[in-house]
Amino acid sequence: MKHHPRNPRARGGRKRQPSRRDPLIGFEAPVTIEQIGARGDGIAHVQSPDGKSVLVYVDCVLPGDDVRVALRQKRGDGYGAEVVEEISRIAAYNEPRCSHFKECGGCALQHMDDGAYRSWKRDKAKVAVQRTGLSADEAEELVAEVEVSPPASRRRAGFSVHVGETGVYVGFHGRFSPTVLNVPDCAVLRPELMTFRAAFVGFLKSCPVDDARHIKEVFVTLADNGLDILIEAGKEPDLDMRQELAVFADEQNIARLSWKVGDRPEEPVAARHIPLVKFESIDVPVAPGGFLQATREGEHALISAVKSALADIAPKQVADLFCGIGSFTFALALSGKRRTVTAVESDQRAVERLQYAAGQSGSPIKVVKRDLFRQPLTGDELTHFDLVLFDPPRAGALAQCEALAATGPEWILAVSCNPATFTRDIRVLRNGGYKIEKVVPVDQFLWSSHLELFAILRRTQD
């Protein structure tokens, strides 16, 4: 009897069952769009063949639109659906500003008129505030009008790259698709980014295919003194590629071009000068691929909100948590009366650049490297401050907010790029005795579902 080695990944005693195809995939039905969901897609219900009501999410529609849809994929508690026939559109439907709108996954709401769009974004902010435990009337009173960045204002973008037999693609992924789409025009990005994209397509076409196909993404940031480019690739560039990139950077007047493989540190391939941004007239160096607010207009709106709050509060000792390279640090330290600021950040590159800028300018800023997720400021550390500002990543600042709720100062300024974690964190602070004084929504990602929130909170009880 012949024995075959057993597959260690096989599950003995069970026969593999054939996968069952969802019978609703491909099902078509007419629907009337009921509302716009949190992700910017239309929400409706269809009746399935067995008589059940099925929730569907439909792209590129508005409330009141009558369309025929086909269910394409399971999505959460419902199905993603595609419009296969437009029966009737409401009068508020706008022609999209971009020729790639229905294909590209970057924008969701270009077809919404400006007034409805602003209302939808403000309503999103009000919902986030209500979920902290306040009433609809209280949220209406607290939430200011939305500060919206204009078209062609976004100063940073990550372009996906695909080089293959069918050509060179530099752009964004399709809507709910891994396919990379070329985007020769874009209604939200600064013209300088689009000029670079076109030049980079030409550069890749001139490269040997075997070299170019290792490039996966290119991150472009428009600093105040030029473009900062970070290329992420699957292998190190050879000598010829390095020389060609240096020539390309010189021809395109690129401030710095860096190359990064996996988790290794990025390597500058061409560094003509250090990319800089100004905060309160102070030049601050930018790390390759480092974080900046998405638009200058959005950054200005947030800083203006901070300065307005400072004028009313007049603090002397301030903590700037999750400070990055100082988007708010210099405004906290130098606007109006000078005050001492302790700036805390976990990214070593950001810490070094902020320390350099603060030292060169003589600003009253102390920079501390610390992981606030694992080691938040607590207890006696917080008693030194009469105001704390925090601006965490999308994950929010739960641990730090729990510490602030226990022993935080009288005033807190909260900045959030995620309404969901904003709701969670502010609820913690409210449970600890803080009251929301004001909320300012800031829209830096035009025609998308993203929204930033700035909030002023004051402790009302010990």
Side-chain angles (χ1 to χ4, degrees):
M1 187 177 191
K2 189 172 181 179
H3 293 276
H4 296 279
R6 184 175 180 272
N7 182 351
R9 298 176 63 185
R11 301 179 69 180
R14 296 186 183 181
K15 291 185 179 180
R16 188 171 182 175
Q17 297 294 325
S19 60
R20 293 183 179 180
R21 185 178 185 275
D22 189 326
L24 288 181
I25 300 298
F27 174 70
E28 295 188 13
V31 299
T32 298
I33 304 303
E34 301 161 13
Q35 60 179 307
I36 297 295
R39 294 173 60 177
D41 39 22
I43 294 177
H45 289 81
V46 302
Q47 190 173 30
S48 66
D50 61 4
K52 294 181 179 179
S53 178
V54 177
L55 180 66
V56 293
Y57 302 94
V58 189
D59 292 320
C60 309
V61 291
L62 293 174
D65 286 347
D66 289 315
V67 293
R68 187 174 183 84
V69 301
L71 277 58
R72 295 305 188 201
Q73 70 277 329
K74 193 78 175 71
R75 189 168 139 195
D77 53 353
Y79 288 81
E82 177 186 7
V83 175
V84 295
E85 180 187 359
E86 295 182 1
I87 300 171
S88 66
R89 292 281 199 180
I90 65 168
Y93 183 86
N94 275 356
E95 283 300 316
R97 284 75 158 178
C98 176
S99 61
H100 312 291
F101 170 62
K102 291 187 177 181
E103 303 168 310
C104 178
C107 296
L109 295 163
Q110 284 190 17
H111 58 306
M112 183 179 280
D113 69 61
D114 291 342
Y117 175 75
R118 285 176 174 273
S119 295
W120 183 78
K121 281 282 173 105
R122 184 167 182 264
D123 285 346
K124 189 166 185 173
K126 290 193 293 184
V127 168
V129 171
Q130 284 178 249
R131 288 176 176 170
T132 68
L134 298 179
S135 69
D137 289 342
E138 289 172 316
E140 174 66 35
E141 184 177 348
L142 288 170
V143 177
E145 293 300 316
V146 184
E147 300 279 352
V148 180
S149 295
S153 64
R154 197 181 307 174
R155 61 178 170 177
R156 59 180 174 87
F159 292 110
S160 296
V161 179
H162 175 74
V163 179
E165 295 179 357
T166 58
V168 173
Y169 299 85
V170 179
F172 303 119
H173 288 289
R175 200 175 294 275
F176 302 111
S177 169
T179 302
V180 178
L181 301 175
N182 269 325
V183 286
D185 62 294
C186 179
V188 299
L189 297 185
R190 287 283 298 258
E192 296 92 333
L193 274 65
M194 297 308 296
T195 299
F196 166 81
R197 192 213 74 88
F200 194 61
V201 168
F203 172 79
L204 291 176
K205 287 180 177 179
S206 70
C207 294
V209 174
D210 288 342
D211 292 334
R213 66 168 30 123
H214 290 286
I215 296 175
K216 305 303 179 186
E217 286 189 280
V218 55
F219 295 92
V220 187
T221 301
L222 179 60
D224 290 348
N225 60 341
L227 290 174
D228 185 33
I229 310 299
L230 175 62
I231 295 172
E232 291 200 351
K235 72 169 190 176
E236 298 289 348
D238 59 21
L239 181 59
D240 289 340
M241 176 65 86
R242 291 173 184 273
Q243 293 175 336
E244 290 164 0
L245 285 169
V247 172
F248 174 73
D250 190 57
E251 292 174 345
Q252 299 302 316
N253 196 28
I254 293 169
R256 178 177 60 203
L257 191 152
S258 306
W259 189 283
K260 181 176 174 61
V261 178
D263 294 331
R264 303 177 201 170
E266 66 279 341
E267 176 191 0
V269 176
R272 301 174 68 248
H273 50 265
I274 297 172
L276 301 170
V277 291
K278 283 186 182 294
F279 300 125
E280 301 299 304
S281 300
I282 306 299
D283 285 329
V284 183
V286 179
F291 174 81
L292 288 179
Q293 296 292 338
T295 68
R296 287 193 180 98
E297 292 82 357
E299 181 178 85
H300 176 75
L302 289 167
I303 291 175
S304 294
V306 170
K307 289 182 177 180
S308 177
L310 292 175
D312 294 332
I313 299 169
K316 296 180 179 179
Q317 298 287 335
V318 179
D320 182 10
L321 310 183
F322 308 94
C323 64
I325 61 170
S327 297
F328 305 112
T329 312
F330 291 96
L332 290 169
L334 304 178
S335 62
K337 294 182 179 179
R338 289 168 69 97
R339 56 190 66 85
T340 302
V341 175
T342 300
V344 186
E345 172 59 46
S346 63
D347 182 359
Q348 180 64 37
R349 302 180 311 164
V351 168
E352 291 171 354
R353 285 157 176 80
L354 181 53
Q355 283 176 330
Y356 172 81
Q360 290 292 104
S361 64
S363 302
I365 297 168
K366 176 185 177 182
V367 187
V368 178
K369 181 181 184 300
R370 181 162 170 169
D371 185 343
L372 293 169
F373 292 108
R374 298 181 178 181
Q375 191 183 5
L377 268 64
T378 59
D380 291 342
E381 294 175 304
L382 291 172
T383 60
H384 299 294
F385 305 108
D386 43 20
L387 182 144
V388 167
L389 181 147
F390 64 85
D391 179 21
R394 289 187 61 80
L398 179 58
Q400 186 60 70
C401 285
E402 289 173 340
L404 287 166
T407 56
E410 180 181 2
W411 294 96
I412 292 177
L413 305 182
V415 183
S416 172
C417 60
N418 184 348
T421 53
F422 170 87
T423 293
R424 180 201 66 198
D425 293 348
I426 300 302
R427 187 187 298 121
V428 169
L429 293 173
R430 289 192 68 244
N431 290 340
Y434 283 92
K435 178 184 177 183
I436 303 174
E437 299 281 325
K438 185 178 182 180
V439 175
V440 179
V442 178
D443 181 17
Q444 299 195 70
F445 293 88
L446 187 63
W447 301 316
S448 78
S449 61
H450 296 290
L451 184 65
E452 295 193 52
L453 298 169
F454 169 83
I456 303 173
L457 298 100
R458 186 177 190 180
R459 186 180 285 282
T460 58
Q461 65 187 56
D462 294 329

